[in-house]
Amino acid sequence: MASEEDSIEQAAAARRERLKALRAAKELLSTPDEDSVPSENKAEEFDDAEEENKLNMKFRNYLPHDTHLQEGKVAPPVLPKFEDPVASAPPQPEKVEDPFVNIAPKKPNWDLRRDVQKKLDKLERRTQKALFQLMEEQERQNQTVAEENGEIISAD
């Protein structure tokens, strides 16, 4: 068990050393070297740093109370003139009719027709069938009369 504790402590110590090395490398990368940035005039660097610290604010929709900030007010944009050819010609007024004038009433027997329609359809089929039977019967009578008279009738 002692060997396990020793190995755990060694691993923890190794991890601490790696973290320290990473922190040191990060600090070295974040701080600029004076040798790597060639500068001829230190006053120019100071002015640049001062300009970066100064805020440049622009206000489009807000007018601040402070006079220094009012200088940052941006003028509203000027929109170009645009004439819409469709909107320029007013639509011609159409003659509006009263919708209640053209309402046609239903026929007084519409409900009776609706209720009796099935029976009428059945009767129509029977009527057609009866007419067909009468036609066949009449045709047979014509053939018998023609045979008695000796006439030859071809069946079409």
Side-chain angles (χ1 to χ4, degrees), residues 52-64:
E52 288 177 6
N53 291 337
K54 183 179 178 182
L55 295 176
N56 186 10
M57 300 174 71
K58 294 181 182 178
F59 299 102
R60 286 180 171 73
N61 299 325
Y62 174 72
L63 182 62

PDB file of all heavy atoms in Angstrom, residues 52-64:
ATOM      1  N   GLU A  52      -6.121  54.192 -27.625  1.00  0.00           N
ATOM      2  CA  GLU A  52      -6.823  52.932 -27.414  1.00  0.00           C
ATOM      3  C   GLU A  52      -7.669  53.006 -26.154  1.00  0.00           C
ATOM      4  O   GLU A  52      -8.756  52.450 -26.083  1.00  0.00           O
ATOM      5  CB  GLU A  52      -5.829  51.772 -27.324  1.00  0.00           C
ATOM      6  CG  GLU A  52      -5.189  51.423 -28.648  1.00  0.00           C
ATOM      7  CD  GLU A  52      -4.155  50.324 -28.509  1.00  0.00           C
ATOM      8  OE1 GLU A  52      -4.025  49.773 -27.405  1.00  0.00           O
ATOM      9  OE2 GLU A  52      -3.484  50.026 -29.495  1.00  0.00           O
ATOM     10  N   ASN A  53      -7.183  53.680 -25.121  1.00  0.00           N
ATOM     11  CA  ASN A  53      -7.926  53.792 -23.871  1.00  0.00           C
ATOM     12  C   ASN A  53      -9.126  54.726 -24.028  1.00  0.00           C
ATOM     13  O   ASN A  53     -10.119  54.592 -23.323  1.00  0.00           O
ATOM     14  CB  ASN A  53      -7.020  54.304 -22.747  1.00  0.00           C
ATOM     15  CG  ASN A  53      -5.981  53.269 -22.355  1.00  0.00           C
ATOM     16  OD1 ASN A  53      -6.176  52.071 -22.591  1.00  0.00           O
ATOM     17  ND2 ASN A  53      -4.893  53.714 -21.767  1.00  0.00           N
ATOM     18  N   LYS A  54      -9.028  55.715 -24.928  1.00  0.00           N
ATOM     19  CA  LYS A  54     -10.110  56.668 -25.134  1.00  0.00           C
ATOM     20  C   LYS A  54     -11.227  55.957 -25.918  1.00  0.00           C
ATOM     21  O   LYS A  54     -11.002  55.335 -26.941  1.00  0.00           O
ATOM     22  CB  LYS A  54      -9.594  57.866 -25.934  1.00  0.00           C
ATOM     23  CG  LYS A  54     -10.628  58.941 -26.141  1.00  0.00           C
ATOM     24  CD  LYS A  54     -10.020  60.095 -26.919  1.00  0.00           C
ATOM     25  CE  LYS A  54     -11.054  61.152 -27.167  1.00  0.00           C
ATOM     26  NZ  LYS A  54     -10.489  62.242 -27.967  1.00  0.00           N
ATOM     27  N   LEU A  55     -12.452  56.068 -25.398  1.00  0.00           N
ATOM     28  CA  LEU A  55     -13.583  55.406 -26.044  1.00  0.00           C
ATOM     29  C   LEU A  55     -14.123  56.276 -27.165  1.00  0.00           C
ATOM     30  O   LEU A  55     -14.270  57.489 -27.015  1.00  0.00           O
ATOM     31  CB  LEU A  55     -14.694  55.146 -25.031  1.00  0.00           C
ATOM     32  CG  LEU A  55     -14.359  54.166 -23.916  1.00  0.00           C
ATOM     33  CD1 LEU A  55     -15.516  54.070 -22.940  1.00  0.00           C
ATOM     34  CD2 LEU A  55     -14.057  52.796 -24.491  1.00  0.00           C
ATOM     35  N   ASN A  56     -14.403  55.663 -28.263  1.00  0.00           N
ATOM     36  CA  ASN A  56     -15.001  56.356 -29.386  1.00  0.00           C
ATOM     37  C   ASN A  56     -16.427  55.818 -29.523  1.00  0.00           C
ATOM     38  O   ASN A  56     -16.652  54.752 -30.070  1.00  0.00           O
ATOM     39  CB  ASN A  56     -14.200  56.106 -30.659  1.00  0.00           C
ATOM     40  CG  ASN A  56     -14.713  56.938 -31.807  1.00  0.00           C
ATOM     41  OD1 ASN A  56     -15.536  57.819 -31.617  1.00  0.00           O
ATOM     42  ND2 ASN A  56     -14.229  56.638 -32.997  1.00  0.00           N
ATOM     43  N   MET A  57     -17.382  56.564 -28.988  1.00  0.00           N
ATOM     44  CA  MET A  57     -18.764  56.098 -28.965  1.00  0.00           C
ATOM     45  C   MET A  57     -19.566  56.855 -30.016  1.00  0.00           C
ATOM     46  O   MET A  57     -19.400  58.053 -30.193  1.00  0.00           O
ATOM     47  CB  MET A  57     -19.369  56.312 -27.584  1.00  0.00           C
ATOM     48  CG  MET A  57     -18.609  55.555 -26.504  1.00  0.00           C
ATOM     49  SD  MET A  57     -19.176  55.910 -24.867  1.00  0.00           S
ATOM     50  CE  MET A  57     -20.728  55.113 -24.858  1.00  0.00           C
ATOM     51  N   LYS A  58     -20.447  56.133 -30.665  1.00  0.00           N
ATOM     52  CA  LYS A  58     -21.320  56.730 -31.661  1.00  0.00           C
ATOM     53  C   LYS A  58     -22.754  56.483 -31.225  1.00  0.00           C
ATOM     54  O   LYS A  58     -23.131  55.375 -30.893  1.00  0.00           O
ATOM     55  CB  LYS A  58     -21.086  56.102 -33.039  1.00  0.00           C
ATOM     56  CG  LYS A  58     -19.725  56.390 -33.598  1.00  0.00           C
ATOM     57  CD  LYS A  58     -19.565  55.768 -34.953  1.00  0.00           C
ATOM     58  CE  LYS A  58     -18.162  56.034 -35.478  1.00  0.00           C
ATOM     59  NZ  LYS A  58     -17.955  55.408 -36.773  1.00  0.00           N
ATOM     60  N   PHE A  59     -23.574  57.549 -31.258  1.00  0.00           N
ATOM     61  CA  PHE A  59     -24.968  57.451 -30.853  1.00  0.00           C
ATOM     62  C   PHE A  59     -25.842  57.701 -32.075  1.00  0.00           C
ATOM     63  O   PHE A  59     -25.806  58.757 -32.678  1.00  0.00           O
ATOM     64  CB  PHE A  59     -25.288  58.490 -29.766  1.00  0.00           C
ATOM     65  CG  PHE A  59     -24.483  58.301 -28.516  1.00  0.00           C
ATOM     66  CD1 PHE A  59     -23.395  59.115 -28.260  1.00  0.00           C
ATOM     67  CD2 PHE A  59     -24.809  57.315 -27.618  1.00  0.00           C
ATOM     68  CE1 PHE A  59     -22.642  58.941 -27.114  1.00  0.00           C
ATOM     69  CE2 PHE A  59     -24.068  57.141 -26.470  1.00  0.00           C
ATOM     70  CZ  PHE A  59     -22.975  57.956 -26.213  1.00  0.00           C
ATOM     71  N   ARG A  60     -26.653  56.707 -32.402  1.00  0.00           N
ATOM     72  CA  ARG A  60     -27.539  56.850 -33.539  1.00  0.00           C
ATOM     73  C   ARG A  60     -28.947  57.249 -33.091  1.00  0.00           C
ATOM     74  O   ARG A  60     -29.583  58.074 -33.720  1.00  0.00           O
ATOM     75  CB  ARG A  60     -27.610  55.532 -34.312  1.00  0.00           C
ATOM     76  CG  ARG A  60     -26.363  55.247 -35.107  1.00  0.00           C
ATOM     77  CD  ARG A  60     -26.504  53.922 -35.854  1.00  0.00           C
ATOM     78  NE  ARG A  60     -25.443  53.689 -36.802  1.00  0.00           N
ATOM     79  CZ  ARG A  60     -24.205  53.368 -36.491  1.00  0.00           C
ATOM     80  NH1 ARG A  60     -23.848  53.276 -35.227  1.00  0.00           N
ATOM     81  NH2 ARG A  60     -23.289  53.155 -37.421  1.00  0.00           N
ATOM     82  N   ASN A  61     -29.433  56.639 -32.032  1.00  0.00           N
ATOM     83  CA  ASN A  61     -30.810  56.863 -31.612  1.00  0.00           C
ATOM     84  C   ASN A  61     -30.912  57.528 -30.244  1.00  0.00           C
ATOM     85  O   ASN A  61     -32.007  57.602 -29.697  1.00  0.00           O
ATOM     86  CB  ASN A  61     -31.561  55.524 -31.564  1.00  0.00           C
ATOM     87  CG  ASN A  61     -31.607  54.875 -32.916  1.00  0.00           C
ATOM     88  OD1 ASN A  61     -31.693  55.563 -33.912  1.00  0.00           O
ATOM     89  ND2 ASN A  61     -31.541  53.561 -32.947  1.00  0.00           N
ATOM     90  N   TYR A  62     -29.808  57.962 -29.696  1.00  0.00           N
ATOM     91  CA  TYR A  62     -29.828  58.494 -28.339  1.00  0.00           C
ATOM     92  C   TYR A  62     -29.002  59.768 -28.287  1.00  0.00           C
ATOM     93  O   TYR A  62     -27.900  59.827 -28.818  1.00  0.00           O
ATOM     94  CB  TYR A  62     -29.248  57.441 -27.369  1.00  0.00           C
ATOM     95  CG  TYR A  62     -29.082  57.925 -25.965  1.00  0.00           C
ATOM     96  CD1 TYR A  62     -30.183  58.136 -25.152  1.00  0.00           C
ATOM     97  CD2 TYR A  62     -27.822  58.172 -25.437  1.00  0.00           C
ATOM     98  CE1 TYR A  62     -30.037  58.585 -23.862  1.00  0.00           C
ATOM     99  CE2 TYR A  62     -27.660  58.617 -24.146  1.00  0.00           C
ATOM    100  CZ  TYR A  62     -28.770  58.830 -23.362  1.00  0.00           C
ATOM    101  OH  TYR A  62     -28.627  59.264 -22.086  1.00  0.00           O
ATOM    102  N   LEU A  63     -29.531  60.787 -27.643  1.00  0.00           N
ATOM    103  CA  LEU A  63     -28.811  62.046 -27.473  1.00  0.00           C
ATOM    104  C   LEU A  63     -28.395  62.126 -26.008  1.00  0.00           C
ATOM    105  O   LEU A  63     -29.237  62.340 -25.132  1.00  0.00           O
ATOM    106  CB  LEU A  63     -29.687  63.243 -27.843  1.00  0.00           C
ATOM    107  CG  LEU A  63     -29.004  64.601 -27.745  1.00  0.00           C
ATOM    108  CD1 LEU A  63     -27.823  64.675 -28.710  1.00  0.00           C
ATOM    109  CD2 LEU A  63     -29.982  65.714 -28.051  1.00  0.00           C
ATOM    110  N   PRO A  64     -27.096  61.930 -25.714  1.00  0.00           N
ATOM    111  CA  PRO A  64     -26.649  61.939 -24.320  1.00  0.00           C
ATOM    112  C   PRO A  64     -26.690  63.352 -23.731  1.00  0.00           C
ATOM    113  O   PRO A  64     -26.614  64.351 -24.441  1.00  0.00           O
ATOM    114  CB  PRO A  64     -25.215  61.408 -24.393  1.00  0.00           C
ATOM    115  CG  PRO A  64     -24.794  61.641 -25.791  1.00  0.00           C
ATOM    116  CD  PRO A  64     -26.014  61.615 -26.635  1.00  0.00           C
TER     117      PRO A  64
END
